[in-house]
Every structure is written in structure tokens, then in C-alpha cells.
Amino acid sequence: SCCCTAVAIFSFLYALQSGPVSIVVPLTALYPVVSIVLACLFFEEKLDRVKILSIASALTAVVLLSK
């Protein structure tokens, strides 16, 4: 767990150095979307309309915030 946390922190810092903060920070806030996608892939969770609309609105918000 400690190693994973260290990798996550260093990855975040690298992303902040490589790209603009206005894009990096909203993208890091999308970790629930990654959890939903992984749950669908590995645990055969179903994507209903609410989840699909939530993912789409989160991605739309990141695009709008990054401009």
C-alpha cells in the first residue's frame, strides 16, 4: 500500500510538471470513473443510464474546465 501511494504521488507530481494545472487537476478528480470502468471490466457490473450520464457529464466538465 505504501509503494502504491508513493507511485501515485510521484505520478501526480510528474503530471503537474508536464502539463498545465488546469487540465491535470480535473483529470485526477476523475478517479471514480476509473473505478466504475474497472468494476465493469473485472466484476461484470452493469452500466445503467445514470452511470453513463455521470461519466459523460464528468468528462464534459473536464473538457469545459480545461479551456
Side-chain angles (χ1 to χ4, degrees):
S1 175
C2 183
C3 292
C4 292
T5 302
V7 169
I9 291 171
F10 285 122
S11 298
F12 179 69
L13 292 175
Y14 178 75
L16 285 175
Q17 288 178 340
S18 300
V21 174
S22 63
I23 294 175
V24 172
V25 173
L27 283 176
T28 60
L30 289 179
Y31 69 89
V33 173
V34 175
S35 299
I36 291 171
V37 171
L38 290 175
C40 291
L41 292 175
F42 294 111
F43 300 121
E44 299 176 6
E45 290 283 330
K46 302 293 182 202
L47 277 179
D48 56 2
R49 248 187 270 166
V50 173
K51 290 178 188 172
I52 292 171
L53 288 173
S54 300
I55 292 171
S57 64
L59 293 173
T60 303
V62 168
V63 169
L64 291 175
L65 286 173
S66 67
K67 293 188 176 191

